[in-house]
Amino acid sequence: ETGVTQTPRHLVMGMTNKKSLKCEQHLGHNAMYWYKQSAKKPLELMFVYNFKEQTENNSVPSRFSPECPNSSHLFLHLHTLQPEDSALYLCASSGQGAPRDTQYFGPGTRLTVL
Amino acid sequence: QKEVEQNSGPLSVPEGAIASLNCTYSDRGSQSFFWYRQYSGKSPELIMFIYSNGDKEDGRFTAQLNKASQYVSLLIRDSQPSDSATYLCAVITAGGTSYGKLTFGQGTILTVHP
């Protein structure tokens, strides 16, 4: 595997379900990110982890719970979601060196909440 | 005022023409500027990054940065139908660190017609 991978690619869940999204980066980066992309809206940063430590929580509701066990893996645990949470969830990573701060994205998970 | 502004388009150009995409940003401390391309249903893909005032060329793409005017643009020469996509401008302000907070514009939809 190369780059940034995400699983599952598609997920349909009910409002009472609990599910998790997984992201893995194979680039040797130290920072990982979760973004939400809804229709007609700009990409929204949700969480940032740098060297496994959460450094940004962009006022995300507690029904989204991130976990970063190491610099290569990032999870997003989902519970009691709302239909308006349906969106494309993108993971990205970045590292030191050139090009500075460039973020590389995974393919995304298309989430539908019924 | 939005932090990063783009004309949502759609911008329609004939095949072989130059497509000009524009972006303005509000934070004068912004250090790094990126252009991503996103095909429908796919994740963003990095096209160009630029840090210094002036032009930067890479193949058919030229990024232009004017920090005094807080303006960054992307020119696509010899546009092809395969260039049809949404182009995202992204700006980062955390200079000197190993990660940064990317703020995205809403994207400009480009259509290149044969």
Side-chain angles (χ1 to χ4, degrees):
Chain A
E1 295 270 24
T2 58
V4 181
T5 58
Q6 289 186 245
T7 55
R9 296 293 305 275
H10 300 272
L11 178 62
V12 179
M13 59 187 289
M15 290 191 285
T16 58
N17 292 158
K18 290 184 180 181
K19 297 286 184 183
S20 296
L21 310 184
K22 179 183 175 182
C23 175
E24 184 173 0
Q25 60 95 0
H26 309 267
L27 300 168
H29 289 163
N30 51 271
M32 297 187 76
Y33 311 78
W34 280 117
Y35 287 88
K36 176 184 178 183
Q37 189 173 37
S38 306
K40 310 288 187 187
K41 294 175 75 173
L43 271 165
E44 301 172 62
L45 179 66
M46 300 175 73
F47 301 104
V48 180
Y49 278 82
N50 191 32
F51 290 106
K52 303 188 298 179
E53 299 298 320
Q54 187 181 123
T55 54
E56 183 99 17
N57 176 337
N58 206 21
S59 303
V60 180
S62 59
R63 58 185 183 270
F64 295 91
S65 174
E67 178 190 0
C68 188
N70 55 60
S71 293
S72 298
H73 294 86
L74 185 64
F75 295 89
L76 188 62
H77 303 300
L78 316 170
H79 63 96
T80 59
L81 295 190
Q82 305 297 311
E84 60 264 29
D85 296 322
S86 298
L88 180 67
Y89 287 86
L90 291 160
C91 174
S93 71
S94 69
Q96 291 177 314
R100 187 178 71 234
D101 300 326
T102 299
Q103 294 182 21
Y104 296 90
F105 286 84
T109 296
R110 174 69 63 184
L111 174 67
T112 302
V113 181
L114 301 177
Chain B
Q1 183 188 4
K2 295 179 185 175
E3 293 184 61
V4 179
E5 287 208 54
Q6 296 180 254
N7 186 330
S8 60
L11 173 65
S12 182
V13 300
E15 184 173 358
I18 296 176
S20 178
L21 304 160
N22 304 315
C23 174
T24 57
Y25 59 95
S26 60
D27 188 342
R28 283 198 172 273
S30 299
Q31 305 258 342
S32 308
F33 306 86
F34 304 85
W35 283 99
Y36 286 84
R37 177 176 62 197
Q38 187 173 25
Y39 292 113
S40 181
K42 302 293 186 181
S43 62
E45 168 193 13
L46 180 71
I47 299 176
M48 298 274 297
F49 62 91
I50 187 167
Y51 304 138
S52 304
N53 276 329
D55 295 0
K56 180 182 178 183
E57 187 174 318
D58 183 0
R60 296 186 296 113
F61 299 97
T62 299
Q64 299 175 316
L65 176 61
N66 184 326
K67 289 187 178 180
S69 300
Q70 295 175 242
Y71 173 93
V72 58
S73 66
L74 179 70
L75 300 177
I76 306 175
R77 289 181 301 282
D78 188 24
S79 296
Q80 302 296 310
S82 59
D83 294 325
S84 298
T86 299
Y87 288 81
L88 304 172
C89 173
V91 175
I92 200 161
T93 58
T97 63
S98 62
Y99 75 94
K101 180 181 174 181
L102 261 184
T103 300
F104 283 84
Q106 66 182 72
T108 298
I109 299 170
L110 172 66
T111 301
V112 180
H113 52 87

